[in-house]
Amino acid sequence: MTPKLISTSPENIDADALAIVLFEADAKGKRPGGRYNDLTGGLISDLYASKEFTGKLLSTALIHRPAGMKTRRLLLVGGGKASELTPAALRQAAGTAVRALKDKGCRSLGLAVDGPSVSGDQVQALTEGAILGNYEPDAYKTSTEKSGAFQEVLVLGRKSTQKNVGRGKAIAEAQNFSRSLVNEPGNLLTPQKLAAAAVEMGKKAGLQVEVLDRKQLEKLKMGALLGVAIGSAEPPVMIIVRYQPKKTRNSKMHLGLVGKAVTFDTGGISIKPADNMEKMKYDMAGGGAMLGAMMALAALEPAVPVTAVIPSVENMPGSRAQRPGDVVTTMAGQTVEVLNTDAEGRLILSDALTYAKQLGCTHLVDAATLTGAIVVALGHVHVGAFANQDAWRNRLLASANAAGEKMWPMPLDEEYKEQLKSIIADLPNIGTRWGGAITAAMFLKQFADPAPWVHLDIAGTAWLEESKPYMAKGPTGVGVRTFVDLAMKLKPGSR
Ligand code: BES
Ligand code: ZN
Ligand code: ZN
């Protein structure tokens, strides 16, 4: 979908549909949409009066061939209370407009907001919402069943907001790239295929991509990662994507983005039940988010170096597979007793975190579909955010807020470490039943320290079980927008 900025009056927009975001009537009962009401000869006022349309967030009403306007259809989309308007609400409203119309044979869409002219941030949010709403996870459907898609979206705004359209496009397309990777089935997206996709993305975006193979991983002594990989015929890889700012030298800040990429998680010998196992193709969503973030950052050019480190394996119960009770030695030298082969994410991430520090990353963020326990704790609404430093987590949470991605701080007190005791080795890879998301994070902390680090458990938020008015069900691409916002706000001169 190509987004374009358009600065004419709404009545002149010649599109299959024009969507306008309208708000709830204010306390004085004054109905919004005055300008559009005049244009349409009182139509909008009628809809408010009959309560057919109230402006409630994400509600819609469709009008065909509105008088006084060039557009073929006029879609009213609720923006909620005007006084509570956020970019997040506009992003969702734009996505809702696209999804309400894309199967109705529409190919071009205009997007406008009632009231005084929209800000740059709002133009960016509208652009993002439209592109995200246009995505459909139906890559392998044959043509007859495929759903429609918009080719063009015209965002109504001032000329000065042109660059915000570009920004929104870069970010949303990167998020959709991440979603399409996560949607790929395990047979078609193996660790090596993921690496190939990263290389291809890097070529197009202008990023340096390096892929370490099994031999190189053995040389680096990544015993925890290799132990997980050994049960599969598919060889493991470590994908490293580098962004180096053109203007900055000797940056004090170097962001490391570490993402879990288990292309399929059967659980290994501690095998998972058959029910819902097919969903474990999304166990590479952390790595997918980091690749998406890097794609956007290549276009947006932050001032600090950013390196993505993505360990990728398939977790299978083959005849060579690691057994419960096996002991492996991590790259950092710590030994781990693998009590449960299904707790594989923390094993591959431990080596990746160590390696990211070795590559010079000063600040770390990891994203992983790490535990079922985070879904019990936070459901499908918030990402769980664990950290070893409050200041660094607060910066990440501020970015999450700005990007409209819900994340919630989780505890990581030393007491939780008491669960991580092994008789035979330095650490077991699991704790007790209780606080499973926290003990998983506590395990990772041993390898991230002393670098400022945030761990995001995205097991509950990387996959949408039911579609939203503004987003298809399936992969969400969660994290991409937050990581981009964070990287763009970092400064080379300060930590
Ligand atoms: N990939 C899973 C976590 C997961 C569960 C992601 C549900 C998405 C939805 C992870 O590798 C795993 O299996 N974790 C185990 C850990 C346990 C053995 C301590 C879990 O959460 O059950
Ligand atoms: Zn697992
Ligand atoms: Zn897993």
Side-chain angles (χ1 to χ4, degrees):
M1 173 193 256
T2 317
K4 281 187 192 138
L5 187 77
I6 180 162
S7 306
T8 59
S9 336
E11 63 268 33
N12 293 329
I13 293 183
D14 187 5
D16 292 331
L18 170 64
I20 40 176
V21 180
L22 291 168
F23 301 97
E24 291 174 32
D26 62 19
K28 289 177 217 119
K30 188 176 158 277
R31 287 190 196 115
R35 177 171 186 203
Y36 297 94
N37 197 43
D38 295 345
L39 278 172
T40 56
L43 247 175
I44 295 191
S45 188
D46 286 353
L47 286 169
Y48 271 98
S50 66
K51 297 211 161 58
E52 216 169 312
F53 182 78
T54 59
K56 192 172 157 281
L57 188 61
L58 309 190
S59 62
T60 56
L62 182 61
I63 299 158
H64 285 266
R65 303 216 164 269
M69 305 186 91
K70 275 197 184 150
T71 181
R72 261 79 70 202
R73 298 172 187 80
L74 184 63
L75 182 75
L76 313 187
V77 185
K81 291 195 174 65
S83 58
E84 291 169 12
L85 183 65
T86 58
L90 278 185
R91 190 181 296 105
Q92 293 183 359
T96 301
V98 165
R99 298 196 66 74
L101 294 163
K102 68 198 275 284
D103 282 331
K104 295 191 162 75
C106 298
R107 290 293 166 266
S108 59
L109 173 71
L111 270 178
V113 181
D114 184 30
S117 68
V118 288
S119 69
D121 281 352
Q122 292 177 332
V123 164
Q124 181 183 330
L126 288 169
T127 309
E128 288 174 5
I131 294 171
L132 295 172
N134 209 33
Y135 172 87
E136 217 55 61
D138 61 357
Y140 295 102
K141 272 195 192 292
T142 49
S143 57
T144 45
E145 269 188 72
K146 265 206 183 306
S147 64
F150 279 101
Q151 259 127 39
E152 187 181 60
V153 61
L154 310 162
V155 182
L156 207 74
R158 279 173 288 126
K159 288 221 171 68
S160 60
T161 58
Q162 180 69 50
K163 64 174 185 307
N164 301 92
V165 173
R167 248 184 113 117
K169 176 178 193 280
I171 293 169
E173 284 181 351
Q175 188 173 340
N176 282 350
F177 168 65
S178 169
R179 291 164 87 189
S180 61
L181 288 174
V182 175
N183 199 42
E184 286 290 307
N187 64 329
L188 301 179
L189 193 84
T190 60
Q192 287 183 315
K193 290 275 175 57
L194 182 66
V199 168
E200 195 192 315
M201 180 279 287
K203 241 185 219 145
K204 277 193 210 145
L207 292 168
Q208 194 203 333
V209 180
E210 187 185 355
V211 181
L212 305 181
D213 64 14
R214 195 195 305 262
K215 264 210 179 111
Q216 290 165 293
L217 300 175
E218 281 167 359
K219 234 183 173 167
L220 287 164
K221 298 193 159 58
M222 295 197 187
L225 184 157
L226 289 161
V228 177
I230 202 171
S232 170
E234 294 295 338
V237 294
M238 180 76 85
I239 304 166
I240 297 121
V241 187
R242 290 182 172 88
Y243 164 80
Q244 182 63 46
K246 287 190 198 93
K247 289 175 203 138
T248 313
R249 256 172 229 290
N250 303 324
S251 176
K252 284 188 191 153
M253 163 75 73
H254 181 167
L255 178 62
L257 299 175
V258 179
K260 170 180 175 181
V262 176
T263 57
F264 196 83
D265 183 10
T266 64
I269 296 300
S270 314
I271 199 161
K272 288 181 181 295
D275 266 5
N276 294 319
M277 200 205 272
E278 73 285 352
K279 270 187 59 193
M280 280 301 119
K281 68 175 187 177
Y282 91 93
D283 212 18
M284 39 60 69
M290 295 323 182
L291 288 177
M294 294 307 290
M295 174 174 158
L297 289 175
L300 301 177
E301 305 193 352
V304 301
V306 185
T307 302
V309 177
I310 301 164
S312 185
V313 300
E314 186 181 51
N315 190 19
M316 292 290 253
S319 67
R320 304 289 312 269
Q322 69 180 348
R323 315 139 193 83
D326 281 4
V327 174
V328 294
T329 305
T330 60
M331 184 187 186
Q334 296 224 60
T335 53
V336 178
E337 182 183 14
V338 182
L339 290 176
N340 189 315
T341 65
D342 197 9
E344 84 297 341
R346 62 199 80 178
L347 293 170
I348 68 170
L349 287 171
S350 65
D351 283 340
L353 288 166
T354 304
Y355 192 55
K357 288 193 293 185
Q358 198 183 88
L359 292 178
C361 298
T362 61
H363 290 65
L364 300 172
V365 177
D366 83 66
T369 46
L370 204 64
T371 66
I374 200 68
V375 195
V376 175
L378 298 176
H380 298 292
V381 178
H382 282 94
V383 171
F386 303 82
N388 61 358
Q389 199 205 77
D390 281 345
W392 179 233
R393 172 164 55 193
N394 288 342
R395 285 161 86 173
L396 181 120
L397 290 178
S399 283
N401 192 36
E405 294 189 311
K406 294 194 177 192
M407 303 196 181
W408 202 259
M410 296 288 289
L412 202 53
D413 305 61
E414 279 301 309
E415 283 95 320
Y416 291 103
K417 217 190 143 202
E418 283 160 27
Q419 288 192 29
L420 295 181
K421 289 212 170 92
S422 163
I423 297 175
I424 189 172
D426 296 333
L427 284 169
N429 77 327
I430 56 169
T432 66
R433 262 184 72 126
W434 313 114
I438 310 172
T439 48
M442 187 48 92
F443 182 93
L444 295 180
K445 180 176 178 291
Q446 312 308 309
F447 300 90
D449 280 339
W453 155 82
V454 179
H455 155 61
L456 300 174
D457 197 333
I458 58 169
T461 45
W463 192 270
L464 210 54
E465 295 290 344
E466 287 304 328
S467 62
K468 303 267 187 199
Y470 51 89
M471 202 183 220
K473 62 173 140 187
T476 61
V478 70
V480 173
R481 296 203 306 272
T482 296
F483 306 144
V484 170
D485 189 273
L486 179 69
M488 296 306 291
K489 284 175 179 161
L490 298 178
K491 301 206 166 59
S494 63
R495 291 194 163 174

